[in-house]
Amino acid sequence: MEVIISKTYDELSKAAAKAVAKTVNSKPNAVLGLATGSTPLGLYKELIRMHKEEGLDFSHVATFNLDEYVGLRPSHPQSYHYFMHENLFNHINIAPHNVHIPSATAGNYRAFCESYEKSIAACGGIDLQVLGIGSDGHIGFNEPSSSLGSRTRIKTLTKQTLDDNARFFKDGEKVPIYAITMGVGTILEAREIILLATGAGKAEAVAKAIEGPVTSMNTASALQLHREATFYLDEAAAGKLEMREYFEWIQANKPGGAA
Ligand code: GLP
């Protein structure tokens, strides 16, 4: 596990974008796992810039999003379908048939979740998974107590997550309480994982994920079991790490100055 601490959110976003670009450049038909939330917005902005100014090519890339609220149509401004198109897909040359986002209006959720897992496998698995983290340590919508072996399924969101995400919804509009999410087991099968976190509100969840025990009570802590997981943090999100100096020491002394 690697921990990269950036001075600013902008720097963090650019560092994460470099990791995504490296994957896409080395494998033009790479399969990316993507996240929503406010945290990856800077990363997506930088990927759009790289596409427009540097020719970063997404024409053969496939994507799988982590999650979606149950009951929101793709045209709903708070749906993750809408978010992804507004903030990334409408601005790059990705082929619409290569975009996969859980369908939150499927009649038969169980069958849909199984078919989502099959589609990921049929594309050869996820090469690089992008994650954010909830203030309770969730990845995707794998709330505390989710099985670390879980697969794509419906989850009931915690009150804390509903409160955290209420800021995106209009006054009086209810945040959906169910979501379809890739499981922790699904996420851990990605060949490489990057988790982005910004702000002091994430510091505790981040410290528990990196330095705490591996536990279903903080599903991001499962990344400790992954061979290629990197946390991209800004200073505020790194604020509660006990090993912070060591993580910075590692970055300053990489063997051979490797990037
Ligand atoms: C939601 C998403 C997560 C995301 C989290 C944090 O719960 N399902 O994938 O990581 O929000 O969001 P933000 O980046 O806005 O803090």
Side-chain angles (χ1 to χ4, degrees), residues 123-192:
C123 284
I126 292 172
D127 292 299
L128 176 68
Q129 175 68 56
V130 176
L131 297 174
I133 184 169
S135 62
D136 59 5
H138 72 233
I139 49 176
F141 267 131
N142 292 286
E143 298 284 35
S145 79
S146 292
S147 159
L148 300 186
S150 51
R151 313 300 307 189
T152 303
R153 70 213 182 290
I154 284 204
K155 279 299 292 181
T156 305
L157 306 183
T158 61
K159 288 189 177 154
Q160 185 175 335
T161 296
L162 297 180
D163 288 348
D164 285 349
N165 292 351
R167 69 187 193 278
F168 297 113
F169 288 78
K170 283 190 213 136
D171 278 352
E173 195 180 9
K174 281 214 168 124
V175 184
I177 66 167
Y178 305 109
I180 292 180
T181 180
M182 280 187 204
V184 181
T186 319
I187 292 168
L188 288 179
E189 280 173 9
R191 291 180 190 92
E192 192 183 341

Side-chain angles (χ1 to χ4, degrees), residues 12 21 27 62 72 77 85 99 113 125 129 144 163 237 246 252:
L12 169 163
K27 186 177 176 192
L72 296 195
H85 286 87
V99 167
C113 292
Q129 175 68 56
D163 288 348
Y246 177 55

Side-chain angles (χ1 to χ4, degrees), residues 194-206:
I194 59 174
L195 184 149
L196 283 56
T198 177
K202 300 293 173 67
E204 193 171 338
V206 164

